[in-house]
Amino acid sequence: MGINVMSQVIVESPYGGQIAELQSFASQQRDGRQLKKALAVKLLYQGYKHEAVVQILDVSMGSLTNWKTSYESEGLAGFKPKHQGRKSYLR
């Protein structure tokens, strides 16, 4: 038994500025991982429930919560990957 995403009622959000910022970021973003994070947070700010966003984007609840927390504390920079990678051993 899945969640009926289409029956969700969207109401006016108090996050208008953030939604516009996230939409602009998403329209310019080429990295799919950062795009997915921005869209997830945007959907939450538009009034979608966490469970619906998890189902729509096929992500975990923990990831969704982390992305929202990162955005709220760091802004758009919170979507950038945190890993630095490692040096090549083929030098």
Side-chain angles (χ1 to χ4, degrees):
M1 180 184 287
I3 298 172
N4 187 354
V5 177
M6 296 313 215
S7 68
Q8 183 124 16
V9 176
I10 305 300
V11 295
E12 186 63 34
S13 171
Y15 300 104
Q18 290 93 336
I19 291 172
E21 177 183 50
L22 290 163
Q23 181 62 43
S24 174
F25 177 78
S27 67
Q28 300 170 8
Q29 192 51 244
R30 300 189 85 172
D31 182 353
R33 295 168 296 180
Q34 292 185 49
L35 175 62
K36 189 177 233 185
K37 293 173 186 180
L39 290 176
V41 174
K42 179 180 166 231
L43 288 171
L44 290 174
Y45 283 168
Q46 287 178 320
Y48 284 86
K49 294 182 188 250
H50 283 71
E51 294 81 7
V53 177
V54 165
Q55 183 180 5
I56 291 168
L57 297 177
D58 192 28
V59 297
S60 71
M61 186 69 75
S63 292
L64 183 58
T65 303
N66 290 340
W67 298 340
K68 183 176 182 236
T69 302
S70 291
Y71 175 70
E72 290 175 344
S73 64
E74 302 173 41
L76 295 173
F79 295 141
K80 292 187 179 179
K82 306 288 190 254
H83 63 278
Q84 297 294 320
R86 50 185 273 194
K87 279 193 165 189
S88 171
Y89 62 91
L90 297 176
R91 277 184 161 219

